[in-house]
Amino acid sequence: PTPNVVFAPPLNPLLSQIKPSKTVEVFSLVKQMEADGETVTSLCVGEPDFAPPQSVLDAATQAMQNGQTRYTAVTGMAELRAAIAKDLKERKGVEYNPQTEIVVGNGAKQCVYQGLMAACGEGDEVIIPAPYWPSYPEMALLVGAKPVILETKVQDGYLINPSDLDRCLSQHPKAKVLMLCNPSNPTGGVHSTELLAEIARVVQKYPQIVILADEIYERLVYTSDGKCTSFASLPDMFHRTITLNGFSKSHAMTGFRLGYLAAPARFAKAVATLQGQITSCASSVSQAAGVAALRDVGEEWLLSNVEIMKSKRDYVLGELEKMKDVEVAVPPNGAFYVLPDVSKYYGGDDTQLCLDLLKEKKLALVPGSSFGAEGTVRISYATSMEELEVAMKKLREFLESKA
C-alpha cells in the first residue's frame, strides 16, 4: 500500500524574503546551551543588567492589586499619554497633544513597525543607514517597501554624512522614509545637534521624506552635556517626523514591553488604526509602571546609571585597545554597544568568528554582518563588570590563539 502523503499547505511567500534576527538566534543558542548545563558569558542582548526602579515595580504591583487589569484605550491610558507628552515637552522641547499625537504600544519595536507601515508601502523605498538594527530592512520588506542601504564610514564614527545622504535621496526618487536611529544600535554613535541640523537641511529638499526617529537610547549619552537632540524639535521637521521611544533601555523595563510613538495627528491616527487591528492596547499593568517611571523616578537614578554605563564603556574600550588587530576608530558616545573591527581575523568572516568563539570559549557576541557591518562584532556592555572582565579575558585569549 502507498504510504499516506501529507500535504503541507504553503507559507506566505513574503516569508522567503525575511531573515530571522541574528541577535535572537544567538540568544536562543545561548539559552539552549545554558539549559544543557553549560555556563555561557553573553554580551549579545541589548538589555540593562540592573533592575527597574523600585517605584516602577511597586506601581505594577499596586495596579494589579487595584484591579487595573482590564483593556485600556488602544492608544494607551490617558494618564500615561499625558506623562509622555509632559516629558517630551520639558526635556526635549517638542510639544505633542496627548489625546491625538501619542500612541503607546507593546514595546518600541511594534511602534517602529507600525510607524513604517503608516508612512510607506508597496513600491516605496526606505533609506536605512548602515550599520543598522537588523529589524529595519526586514520591517521595510514586510510593509512591501524596498530597503536601500546608505553606507556610512568608520572614520566618521558611522554617523550619517549629509552629502552622502543628499546623493542617495537624489538617486532614489521612490524613497519615502529615512530611518534615523540616534543614539545608534549597533554602533553607539550619537549624531550631534549640528549634524542633525545638516541632515534636516538635506531632507528639506525632499518633501516626500518622512523621518522615523528611533530615539530609544536617548537617555544613555556620554558626551559632556549628555545631550541627544530630538529630530522633531529641529526647524520645520515636526510635521514629517515620527518619534519612537520607550522604557526598556532607560528604565530597564525590557520585559514590560512598553514603548510609544509620538507624531503629528495624521500619522498617530493611522498607527492607532493599525494597532487596533493587530494587538489593541499595551498591558495595563505595564502602562501603570510607565506612569511611575516618568512621574516618580528621580533624575539622579537615571544619571547614576549613565555614569555606570560610561565606566563600563571605558573599560571595554581600554581592553579592546590592548588586543592585536582590533580597531575602534571613533569611541561610541551613547547606547551600550561597541562595534570593533576584527576583520584581520578569519579573513573578515565575522559569523564564523562568533560561532567558534561561542564553541571554544563559551562567549556570545553578535556578528557585525547582521547589522550590515562585515568584519565587525557587536559587544553589548550592559552587563555586570564581573561578566565584562570574564568576557574580555575570553575574547583576548581567543584572538591570541588565532593570531
Side-chain angles (χ1 to χ4, degrees), residues 30-188:
V30 169
K31 288 294 161 204
Q32 186 53 54
M33 287 169 76
E34 287 176 343
D36 294 343
E38 296 186 62
T39 304
V40 181
T41 307
S42 176
L43 302 184
C44 68
V45 177
E47 184 167 53
D49 70 315
F50 48 86
Q54 192 57 46
S55 54
V56 166
L57 301 176
D58 292 344
T61 307
Q62 202 64 51
M64 286 188 279
Q65 289 171 343
N66 292 349
Q68 266 184 268
T69 53
R70 300 190 174 278
Y71 293 133
T72 71
V74 168
T75 54
M77 291 177 351
E79 191 183 2
L80 177 56
R81 282 181 281 127
I84 291 166
K86 183 173 185 282
D87 180 58
L88 289 173
K89 184 181 178 184
E90 290 175 0
R91 279 195 317 110
K92 312 298 282 185
V94 202
E95 204 161 338
Y96 291 97
N97 181 330
Q99 293 176 325
T100 58
E101 296 182 321
I102 289 171
V103 179
V104 175
N106 297 272
K109 197 170 199 172
Q110 177 177 15
C111 298
V112 173
Y113 181 43
Q114 291 174 169
L116 204 49
M117 199 183 270
C120 66
E122 199 70 45
D124 294 330
E125 292 181 332
V126 178
I127 309 296
I128 302 171
Y132 47 74
W133 185 44
S135 294
Y136 292 152
E138 308 310 315
M139 287 177 177
L141 291 168
L142 281 169
V143 305
K146 180 186 170 192
V148 172
I149 306 304
L150 169 65
E151 297 295 342
T152 60
K153 301 180 185 77
V154 65
Q155 63 268 28
D156 293 339
Y158 295 117
L159 301 175
I160 295 171
N161 178 303
S163 305
D164 292 345
L165 174 63
D166 196 358
R167 194 175 307 112
C168 180
L169 289 172
S170 69
Q171 290 168 357
H172 291 275
K174 289 182 180 175
K176 281 285 298 291
V177 171
L178 168 64
M179 299 299 308
L180 177 62
C181 186
N182 189 45
S184 162
N185 173 9
T187 71

Side-chain angles (χ1 to χ4, degrees), residues 314-323 392-393 396:
D314 293 346
Y315 169 74
V316 169
L317 289 173
E319 290 301 302
L320 291 173
E321 211 174 317
K322 297 174 198 168
M323 296 180 203
M392 291 299 104
K393 182 173 183 284
R396 186 176 65 249

Side-chain angles (χ1 to χ4, degrees), residues 299-310:
E299 198 65 17
E300 63 284 354
W301 186 88
L302 292 149
L303 291 175
S304 114
N305 286 328
V306 169
E307 281 309 308
I308 293 165
M309 285 291 190
K310 183 176 185 287

